């Protein structure tokens, strides 16, 4: 099996989570022959060098262009604010690198289409790093529902909220900040995975703005053509229980933490627990998206089966529609 050299573009918190993941993967017999932590780039060369030294990466760069020009880089994980994803992903793909782009994939559907077009033109992998799409919990939930134990699904509810207003990128409209792209994307994807791309007949939503103008609290209801109703909430102001629930005619299931499902409980119509499922142990949870991206590249494909381009674009178009209803635009979109 060929080994894929992975580089990280950006040196913030999420980049550190990925670096920790890559180091653990390199030490794990299941993944050591597939991926290798190779390089990191930041706008500050000293910061990049310190990052590389901390995690044992052999190479660091003080500019993103230098990283893109390195012929030894195979796959680039893009870990910068939402508004920068498009230009950086396209830079890397045009330099012959596959890209794994942190969610939200872009700031809007127009940026998403531009990235996917470059992937088509260059033949390079372009994948969205929304980790829940790649995790084993996804298939576990599908299998439980398919078994018929909760009957016919009629409603879904999911939420994800964290108080994150102390982070500048979260509250800055110029960085495409706000709840929707940072945390709202998770309950939306949780619902979408269960509904398997079923068409939405109509949406209802509301947004409470933060003092900077970004969305601070979002409430969303999706009415599907097949009659299922799904609700989602997200916020940058508070903590929530992060639960996901699927309600059926014979019972229901609950998922602990939709952002990284830890366990699933199945209840009957009398609210008695019928089954409990623990999700398999993981290194960090990021390893699944890395494996999928690396293997997809080696197989010569441009998109991961777990999160194909059509799904990435469809979710971004849905979020654009929500923002249009709220009258919320980012400065660079005007």
């Amino acid at each position: 099996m060929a080994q894929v050299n992975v580089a990280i573009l950006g040196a913030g918190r999420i980049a550190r989570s990925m670096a920790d993941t890559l180091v653990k993967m390199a030490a794990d017999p299941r993944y050591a022959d597939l991926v290798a932590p190779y390089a990191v780039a930041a706008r500050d060369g000293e910061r990049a060098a310190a990052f590389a030294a901390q995690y044992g990466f052999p190479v660091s760069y003080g500019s993103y262009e230098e990283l893109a020009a390195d012929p030894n880089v195979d796959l680039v994980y893009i870990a910068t604010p939402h508004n920068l994803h498009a230009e950086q992903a396209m830079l890397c793909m045009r330099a012959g690198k596959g890209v794994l782009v942190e969610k939200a994939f872009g700031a809007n559907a127009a940026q998403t289409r531009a990235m996917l077009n470059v992937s088509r033109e260059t033949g390079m992998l372009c994948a969205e790093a929304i980790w829940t799409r790649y995790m084993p919990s996804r298939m576990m939930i599908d299998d439980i529902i398919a078994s018929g134990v909760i009957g016919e699904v009629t409603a879904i509810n999911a939420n994800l909220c964290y108080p994150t207003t102390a982070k500048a990128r979260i509250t800055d409209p110029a960085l495409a900040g706000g709840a929707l792209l940072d945390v709202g994307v998770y309950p939306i994807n949780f619902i979408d995975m269960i509904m398997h791309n079923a068409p939405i007949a109509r949406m209802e939503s509301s947004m409470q703005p933060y003092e900077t103008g970004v969305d601070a609290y979002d409430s969303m209801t999706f009415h599907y053509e097949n009659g299922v109703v799904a609700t989602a909430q997200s916020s940058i102001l508070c903590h929530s229980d992060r639960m996901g629930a699927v309600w059926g005619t014979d019972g229901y299931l609950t998922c602990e933490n939709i952002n990284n499902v830890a366990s699933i409980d199945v209840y009957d119509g009398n609210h008695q627990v019928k089954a409990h499922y623990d999700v398999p142990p993981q290194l960090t949870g990021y390893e699944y998206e890395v494996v999928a991206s690396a293997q997809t590249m080696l197989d010569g494909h441009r998109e991961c089966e777990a999160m194909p381009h059509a799904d990435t674009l469809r979710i971004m178009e849905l979020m654009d529609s929500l923002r249009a209803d709220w009258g919320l635009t980012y400065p660079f979109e005007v």
Side-chain angles (χ1 to χ4, degrees), residues 33-293:
D33 292 335
L34 178 63
V35 297
Y38 174 71
V40 62
R43 287 172 295 183
D44 183 331
E46 291 185 2
R47 187 183 186 201
F51 185 109
Q54 178 180 351
Y55 292 99
F57 282 40
V59 178
S60 68
Y61 291 110
S63 77
Y64 303 139
E65 291 76 14
E66 288 178 283
L67 176 66
D70 186 335
N72 293 316
V73 172
D74 300 313
L75 174 65
V76 180
Y77 171 67
I78 295 178
T80 50
H82 312 302
N83 63 305
L84 299 174
H85 290 177
E87 64 178 79
Q88 293 167 345
M90 291 189 289
L91 167 72
C92 292
M93 285 188 284
R94 287 175 175 144
K97 321 301 181 191
V99 293
L100 176 59
V101 185
E102 184 53 46
K103 64 80 203 159
F105 187 72
N108 52 43
Q111 289 187 357
T112 297
R113 292 188 193 96
M115 284 186 272
L116 300 183
N117 286 341
V118 172
S119 172
R120 190 176 304 111
E121 293 164 5
T122 61
M124 300 310 303
L125 171 90
C126 187
E128 182 174 5
I130 179 157
W131 62 344
T132 52
R133 287 269 181 170
Y134 304 85
M135 290 175 168
S137 56
R138 176 181 183 177
M139 187 168 291
M140 293 171 65
I141 295 166
D142 274 352
D143 288 346
I144 293 168
I145 294 171
S147 75
V149 67
I150 67 170
E152 181 183 353
V153 172
T154 63
I156 306 168
N157 179 258
N159 72 80
L160 190 66
C161 307
Y162 297 106
T164 52
T165 54
K167 300 178 181 179
R169 72 171 184 86
I170 296 294
T171 59
D172 190 346
L175 300 181
L180 182 63
L181 297 192
D182 196 60
V183 287
V185 67
Y186 284 110
I188 289 172
N189 270 275
F190 178 85
I191 292 165
D192 189 73
M193 285 187 283
I194 292 166
M195 293 303 298
H196 293 282
N197 309 347
I200 296 173
R202 62 187 173 90
M203 299 187 299
E204 299 166 357
S205 67
S206 61
M207 178 271 285
Q208 176 67 35
Y210 190 63
E211 59 191 34
T212 60
V214 302
D215 56 308
Y217 180 88
D218 309 327
S219 178
M220 300 158 278
T221 302
F222 308 107
H223 298 263
Y224 286 85
E225 290 183 3
N226 62 8
V228 174
V229 177
T231 54
Q233 304 84 35
S234 60
S235 177
I236 57 174
L237 301 176
C238 58
H239 291 283
S240 71
D241 59 20
R242 308 177 302 178
M243 296 294 287
V246 184
W247 301 328
T249 53
D250 297 330
Y252 57 95
L253 67 81
T254 61
C255 300
E256 181 189 351
N257 184 12
I258 62 162
N259 190 30
N260 183 2
V261 175
S263 63
I264 305 164
D265 286 304
V266 180
Y267 295 82
D268 64 16
N270 294 315
H271 310 288
Q272 300 299 307
V273 176
K274 303 301 292 182
H276 173 86
Y277 301 91
D278 289 315
V279 172
Q282 58 191 27
L283 297 181
T284 66
Y286 292 95
E287 66 265 28
Y288 304 112
E289 63 190 40
V290 176
V291 168
S293 298

